[in-house]
């Protein structure tokens, strides 16, 4: 591969050189057989993965697996991408499936240990968050208000890089908010939607939010670079299951350390219960009175 030197570390995280790991598709720099379509996809997937284009890498690995469900490299590296995206449960499943095919593969065994450690840390982090998050209750607006969505203009900021599995949740939120639809912003590296046309603006390149109502979809990204100059009258944060610990940073930041109490939205009552903070449940209907949690 032109983008990965054969003596560079393999992007799978094994610690071995590329030529001794996934670069073993060739020997001595010369392909032993003409590369197949499957090999082309694997190499393109590795290139995408190494450059941070995880959605493209996932699509390519899954295309290989659709044709060959027992492809070790595609299973293994699909798990590594899931790990890089923070989806540790699915990462464990993919790498475990790869190890069923090659139980003694050292790179896969090493990565499975990394994933196991990440899962253990996540459990500890969530226990800590469960204890600390209730202390932020005073920063959050408690109670429902018929004026919550007065039909005024709003800016909605997408705070995720990987939106692959989140576009449906955003669609539900947009329907629940009703008309007029908010202006959608993202940080410039968001996974594009596949089957819908969204009018997305890039923060910085196309300006910054200025409406009187601000809605943050997720807590993954900080708006610190431009947030100080924006003073909307209503700040809302849509929380997801993956961002419990990030709420410890994002709620005080968006609430300006108590100066601007914010409202929280949850996709389900179960998630709201896990977080333990007051908010509203977004229902999968166009317009329904919000449910207090």
């Amino acid at each position: 591969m032109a983008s990965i030197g054969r003596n560079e570390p393999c992007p799978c995280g094994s610690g071995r050189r590329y030529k001794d790991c996934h670069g073993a598709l060739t020997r001595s720099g010369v392909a032993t057989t003409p590369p197949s379509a499957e090999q082309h996809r694997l190499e393109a997937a590795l290139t995408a993965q190494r450059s941070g284009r995880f959605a493209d890498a996932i699509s390519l690995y899954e295309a290989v697996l659709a044709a060959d469900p027992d492809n070790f490299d595609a299973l293994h590296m699909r798990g590594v991408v899931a790990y890089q995206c923070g989806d540790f449960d699915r990462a464990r499943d993919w790498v475990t499936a790869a190890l069923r095919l090659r139980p003694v593969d050292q790179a896969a065994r090493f990565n499975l240990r990394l994933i196991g450690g990440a899962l253990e840390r996540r459990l500890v982090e969530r226990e800590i968050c469960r204890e600390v998050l209730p202390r932020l209750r005073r920063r959050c607006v408690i109670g429902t208000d018929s004026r919550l969505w007065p039909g005024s203009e709003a800016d909605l900021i997408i705070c995720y890089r990987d939106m692959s599995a989140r576009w449906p949740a955003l669609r539900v939120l947009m329907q629940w908010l009703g008309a007029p639809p908010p202006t959608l912003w993202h940080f410039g590296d968001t996974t594009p939607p596949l089957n819908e046309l969204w009018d997305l603006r890039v923060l910085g390149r196309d300006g910054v939010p200025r409406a009187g109502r601000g809605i943050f979809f997720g807590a993954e990204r900080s708006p610190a670079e431009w947030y100080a100059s924006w003073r909307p009258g209503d700040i809302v944060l849509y929380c997801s299951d993956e961002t419990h610990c990030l709420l410890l940073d994002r709620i005080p930041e968006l609430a300006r350390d108590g100066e601007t109490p914010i409202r929280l939205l949850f996709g389900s009552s179960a998630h709201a219960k896990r977080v333990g903070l007051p908010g509203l449940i977004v229902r999968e209907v166009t317009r329904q009175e919000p449910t207090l949690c």
Side-chain angles (χ1 to χ4, degrees):
M1 294 174 62
S3 60
I4 302 179
R6 292 180 57 74
N7 288 312
E8 292 183 33
C10 186
C12 77
S14 66
R16 295 188 291 171
R17 292 177 298 180
Y18 176 67
K19 68 180 182 181
D20 298 324
C21 195
H22 283 83
L25 291 171
T26 63
R27 294 186 182 279
S28 302
V30 179
T32 56
T33 58
S36 64
E38 182 177 279
Q39 288 172 318
H40 279 305
R41 287 197 184 100
L42 284 171
E43 293 200 352
L46 278 169
T47 299
Q49 181 179 353
R50 194 166 186 264
S51 63
R53 294 183 289 110
F54 297 137
D56 291 340
I58 288 170
S59 177
L60 288 162
Y61 287 132
E62 292 186 351
V64 173
L65 291 170
D68 180 11
D70 291 331
N71 187 291
F72 170 83
D73 287 315
L75 286 169
H76 178 201
M77 298 308 291
R78 178 65 182 86
V80 174
V81 176
Y83 171 80
Q84 291 173 309
C85 293
D87 189 353
F88 303 142
D89 291 304
R90 294 192 67 192
R92 177 182 55 193
D93 294 342
W94 287 110
V95 177
T96 299
L99 280 168
R100 292 194 190 102
L101 300 174
R102 296 186 193 172
V104 297
D105 186 87
Q106 292 303 308
R109 291 169 68 88
F110 174 81
N111 285 329
L112 188 60
R113 289 195 296 272
L114 285 181
I115 294 166
L119 284 167
E120 290 178 5
R121 289 192 299 274
R122 175 166 286 180
L123 288 175
V124 172
E125 289 170 355
R126 286 187 173 177
E127 286 300 320
I128 294 173
C129 291
R130 195 172 288 117
E131 294 180 9
V132 178
L133 275 173
R135 302 177 188 176
L136 299 179
R137 176 176 289 268
R138 60 189 177 86
R139 305 281 176 86
C140 306
V141 173
I142 301 175
T144 186
D145 185 342
S146 61
R147 296 171 298 171
L148 178 61
W149 312 120
S152 60
E153 292 184 359
D155 285 312
L156 189 151
I157 301 93
I158 297 172
C159 295
Y160 295 104
R161 288 184 178 88
D162 186 0
M163 281 287 291
S164 304
R166 296 185 174 98
W167 291 110
L170 179 59
R171 187 187 314 115
V172 170
L173 176 59
M174 296 276 284
Q175 292 174 341
W176 186 75
L177 292 172
T183 301
L184 295 178
W185 299 84
H186 70 107
F187 284 78
D189 56 358
T190 298
T191 308
L194 296 177
N195 301 315
E196 294 188 62
L197 293 176
W198 296 84
D199 183 15
L200 299 176
R201 301 186 183 185
V202 178
L203 290 162
R205 188 194 73 186
D206 302 322
V208 292
R210 285 289 181 265
R213 179 159 48 115
I215 305 162
F216 289 84
F217 186 72
E220 185 177 292
R221 310 290 286 270
S222 169
E225 186 174 339
W226 45 265
Y227 188 59
S229 63
W230 184 32
R231 296 284 170 172
D234 202 356
I235 289 291
V236 179
L237 173 59
Y238 181 94
C239 309
S240 69
D241 277 329
E242 300 88 358
T243 57
H244 287 194
C245 292
L246 291 176
L247 296 178
L248 294 175
D249 294 325
R250 208 61 66 232
I251 288 176
E253 180 180 36
L254 297 181
R256 307 181 201 276
D257 289 324
E259 178 185 338
T260 309
I262 67 174
R263 306 175 192 271
L264 300 184
L265 299 180
F266 300 97
S268 70
S269 56
H271 178 217
K273 184 177 181 180
R274 285 194 291 273
V275 172
L277 292 173
L280 301 174
I281 308 300
V282 175
R283 299 298 184 180
E284 197 164 354
V285 291
T286 302
R287 289 297 292 164
Q288 178 174 316
E289 286 301 313
T291 300
L292 178 66
C293 63

